[in-house]
Amino acid sequence: MGLQERKQKIFYRKTKKGNILKIVREHYLRDDVWCGLDGCGACEGDKRPLDMLTTSDSTLMTEPHHLIIDTNVALHQIDVLSHDSITNVIILQTVITEVKHRSLPVYKRLRDLLDTHNKKFYVFTNEHHSDCYVEREEKESVNDRNDRAIRIATWWYKHHFRMNNQNVVLITNDIDNRDKARQLEVEAYTMHEYISSLQNAPGLLDIVAQVEEEKEEDVTYQGYIFPSHWSMEKIKLSLKSGKLYQGVFKTSRNNFLEANVMIEGFDKPVLIQGRLNINRALHDDVVAVQIFPKEQWSAPSAVVIDQEKQEAETGGNDDEKADEEAMKKEQELLAAGKGDGECQPTGCVVGVIRRKWRQFCGIIRKNEITDSTRHLFIPADKKIPFIRIETRQAESLYNKRLIVAIDSWPRNSRNPKGHFVRVIGTIGDKDAENEVILLEHDCPHTKFSESVLNCLPKLPWVITEKDEDEREDLRHIDVCSVDPIGCTDIDDALHCRLLPSGNYEVGVHIADVSHFIRPGTALDKEAQNRSTTVYLTNRRIDMVPDLLSSNLCSLRGSVDRFAFSVIWEMTPQAEVLSARFCKSIIKSRGELSYEQAQQRIDDPAMKDDLTESLRNLNMLAKQIKTKRIENGALVLASMEVKFHIDPDNDTVIDIVAKQHLETMSMVEEFMLLANVTAAETTLQHFPDCALLRRHPAPPPSNFEPLLAAAKSQNITLDVSSNKTLANSLNKSTREDNPFFNSMLRIMTTRCMMQAVYFCSGTLEPEEYSHYGLATPTYTHFTSPIRRYADIIVHRLLAVIIEAERTYPELLDPKKLSDLSQHINYRHKMAQYAGRGSSEITAIASLKGKVSEFMSYVLFLHKNAIQVLVPTIGQQLTLYLDNRHKRKEEKQAPKQEAMDVDEVPAPEFEFNEKELYVQCGELIIRPFDELRVQASVDASDVQHQRVVCRLVEPVIPGFSVPPLEKGSKQADKDEKQKDKPVEGPKDEKTAVALQVSEEKETKKKRETKDKERKKKKMKK
Ligand SMILES: [Zn+2]
């Protein structure tokens, strides 16, 4: 028994140099490959997951049967295969090998199914089975050979199973393959045929991917909408000859009918305009682009076009005629919105080289034709086109958030086709909304697995004598932490003491997370995969389990904790004389909030050691900051607000601008210094494998919108270096607009590149620098609880001070470089998720009422003005197009339905060159103050869209009257405030939003108090 036959396969391969290489591969055939059926008398083996079946649920196959699938079914129908009602499936080795080769995500899901006990999936190694192995015939393609191998294996199973009264059915969507299988007298059906025949699997048909239908339609249907894609061969040849270019397709944020393709070596991206030129490319696809002759180049469109708004207006019927009309309207819209800015290379997509198809969260739109199974799915990501799905359970899905996968995009369909995967939850439900954000941003958020939790230290955790021998004991020093109120994951603490020499010793102590997370363990792998903690407005998704993040690694007061310390000697002028790193044990004297620390510093009566040390830290930090800014560091601004959320019913109680205290920049300065010191030290010892963080200088073209906006206010900014930019930002203030400078900084922030991690060995030292912080080298060391990069930096430093041994991956530049890419991706996605979460929270706070805000003009378009509303930290779109406006007015609550129809609609004129919008005498420029009203469009229960209206300046026939003072807005109640969730403190250059907004809040509170008093009086 066992090895039966040894076959030699001989290949000839041509090497790059032109030599012919002979490769001999031995292929072993065995006769001890088991069928996997539990209870089969003919086979042995301990893995027998397949059940001995007694019944069948299928009307097509009445005998008890197991499923065998071909490769394409595995690739495209993995959602069906994952469904609970599909069990007892035989996965042939031919299939799993091909799947692994063609799609790693599907392969991973298939492996998960094989590991799931009750799915009863079994891998049959047919390629090593003496009765199932087939040689490739002359002139037979690899695909055809594999299809034949699958049919032969099915045939073998049918005969082998017969003695146990079992049967098998081959599921293939390839009609040719199905018919050839039937010639062998084995049962074969397409997925659709088979699933339709099941009697007890309602809803399963919805999940069947719509791949097979495409073929049939293509033959009969003549009305193609899209040009065909070029063949891959033709694309490859044309890329080589320079006729085509390859790049990543990015849909415009403002206009779903426009996209950019970044091409290496081009200064400007290639512009793609209109559905036909986009030719079925999706955001993030890698596409082949043909560039038009120069006379056909065009400028980016000057209008905001929102897919959802557009579809809502075209009626939303889902048939070919509606398609045609909608496409015509889109063309008109694009033509009308033609921008008169600078032309840039323009072209069209001729083929998709690599699809970035994934699963999408969203909602389905009600089809106006009742009983129709065809529905449009609206993805949450605005850059993704609506997806056509078929479902028989639409009624129950209308108020749900769901997941849909794209299957295909045939030439005759305006929208891609997809299938329903699963329901996430009810619209508006907090958990469902969070889930959508996390899924959309690819943030791992499942509970930590058993194997991860097993890596944690057992409680009670005690410090051993060995630990004390290996660490510096700093428990006698007055260390404390300074954080936002309610912070539970404290990863940094500080101290400062006067030395006899008159100099200062300053220490930054960081949670020693790498002590608990050993390289290569399940815990390490999980933390690495997550890479960062994700902060949503009402939830935190930790990178490491709670026991570490909020307990053993959290540098809480009055308990012994392990730290990784950096200790400097500084002159009273904050000149650093020396720096050293050590592993230590600390005992924090207190977990202070920023406010508490500030109070201690400001109170002259407080003279204790801890307060003195805070005062010295603050004194040194101010000097460090001054030097940093002299060097050209930028002080940027972002729209950060804090939401106070009622924990009981999850509604927003209040939104406040983030306050700025001296103690915040005190902590920030020392974190920055610790990070710079860590960067310098690791780079010095490991020039090729230090993990650093760089912030590239933005290319000059990035500054164009900022410069144009500043120019419209007669302000000239010098963007030639970070230093000149910082200087001109400091000088640019306006007395009549106290928010002007912050706005300018917010706009500057938007011109910046992303800061990224990288491995020092992969770049030239000139490229290491950090533009925003104006330092030649930088890294992250101070937040290992919430950032994986910091853990790597800790490990490198531990090797340098000989506290730990190294391991091979740590010093492998290629591995480190791959890891930085991964961390960069997760980091960016986590940031977007955080922003998405604030947006949803802000929108929720506007629901069911009309709110009035001061806003500032950010961007101007032909049909819209984008304004920034500091009070809620959001950007809103004020459409100038009256057609939209009237529609909204009709749906708006009675109260504010002004009869605007009597006044003729005003004409808005957009001057793109000088950047202003004119309406009669009135001119609106960037940074101008507009008073606006915002409310949530109540007409669509599924989707919350903010409707923005102008209040001031007054434009007859367009603007709405102001709200009565103290009416709608003042109904907020001061309630218990929740704990804020905050990210790391370094490299965060937020500036508080000041003056006018604070006044506004204050005013509101006063009115509220008056009202309360009135109420009391009445009682
Ligand atoms: Zn058997």
Side-chain angles (χ1 to χ4, degrees), residues 33-44 48 124 156-157 160-161 163-164:
V33 177
W34 318 124
C35 73
L37 181 68
D38 188 22
C40 174
C43 295
E44 292 170 30
R48 300 166 163 229
F124 180 64
W156 179 86
Y157 256 105
H160 181 81
F161 268 11
M163 61 186 129
N164 289 312

Side-chain angles (χ1 to χ4, degrees), residues 264-284:
E264 232 174 282
F266 278 47
D267 293 342
K268 284 205 163 180
V270 174
L271 189 67
I272 315 281
Q273 287 178 319
R275 230 178 244 269
L276 296 186
N277 290 330
I278 289 173
N279 198 3
R280 295 168 284 161
L282 244 58
H283 186 69
D284 278 340

Side-chain angles (χ1 to χ4, degrees), residues 129-243:
H129 191 287
S130 44
D131 291 339
C132 294
Y133 177 73
V134 299
E135 292 254 14
R136 190 168 142 200
E137 285 165 5
E138 231 178 283
K139 287 182 186 167
E140 191 179 35
S141 74
V142 177
N143 268 340
D144 288 346
R145 182 258 164 216
N146 286 347
D147 282 346
R148 192 156 58 86
I150 292 167
R151 293 195 298 269
I152 296 292
T154 313
W155 180 87
W156 179 86
Y157 256 105
K158 184 185 169 91
H159 290 273
H160 181 81
F161 268 11
R162 201 172 273 166
M163 61 186 129
N164 289 312
N165 292 320
Q166 308 283 300
N167 201 349
V168 286
V169 54
L170 175 66
I171 307 292
T172 172
N173 288 332
D174 179 338
I175 304 298
D176 187 46
N177 195 24
R178 183 194 66 184
D179 295 344
K180 279 187 180 151
R182 286 176 179 172
Q183 283 163 21
L184 283 177
E185 295 188 338
V186 301
E187 280 69 14
Y189 296 106
T190 67
M191 191 56 123
H192 198 270
E193 286 168 339
Y194 179 74
I195 299 295
S196 311
S197 80
L198 296 181
Q199 293 166 292
N200 291 313
L204 193 51
L205 204 51
D206 285 359
I207 304 177
V208 174
Q210 303 187 53
V211 198
E212 68 275 6
E213 291 166 23
E214 188 187 337
K215 258 188 190 164
E216 291 159 21
E217 270 183 14
D218 273 6
V219 183
T220 52
Y221 188 76
Q222 297 299 311
Y224 289 131
I225 294 173
F226 294 102
S228 67
H229 283 158
W230 294 17
S231 76
M232 216 28 97
E233 259 165 273
K234 196 173 160 194
I235 288 178
K236 274 184 188 155
L237 282 174
S238 312
L239 283 172
K240 261 191 193 154
S241 67
K243 253 175 87 182

Side-chain angles (χ1 to χ4, degrees), residues 43 67 660:
C43 295
L67 303 181
H660 194 79

Side-chain angles (χ1 to χ4, degrees), residues 9 25-30 32-35 67-72 74 89-102 107 110-111 114 121-134 142 145-154 156-157 170:
K9 283 182 163 180
R25 205 175 278 164
E26 291 197 325
H27 191 81
Y28 299 96
L29 295 180
R30 311 174 68 94
D32 56 355
V33 177
W34 318 124
C35 73
L67 303 181
I68 297 181
I69 56 169
D70 75 358
T71 310
N72 278 318
V89 180
I90 297 155
I91 306 291
L92 302 177
Q93 186 190 1
T94 316
V95 170
I96 199 159
T97 316
E98 254 192 294
V99 167
K100 187 177 179 184
H101 184 67
R102 286 173 54 185
Y107 174 73
L110 200 55
R111 287 250 60 119
L114 283 160
F121 275 45
Y122 176 68
V123 174
F124 180 64
T125 45
N126 61 311
E127 297 287 353
H128 291 278
H129 191 287
S130 44
D131 291 339
C132 294
Y133 177 73
V134 299
V142 177
R145 182 258 164 216
N146 286 347
D147 282 346
R148 192 156 58 86
I150 292 167
R151 293 195 298 269
I152 296 292
T154 313
W156 179 86
Y157 256 105
L170 175 66

Side-chain angles (χ1 to χ4, degrees), residues 626-651:
T626 311
K627 276 181 217 160
R628 218 161 52 73
I629 287 175
E630 273 169 13
N631 277 334
L634 293 170
V635 179
L636 298 178
S638 63
M639 283 301 311
E640 277 191 286
V641 292
K642 205 144 87 184
F643 296 98
H644 292 297
I645 296 164
D646 185 338
D648 298 332
N649 55 15
D650 216 54
T651 51

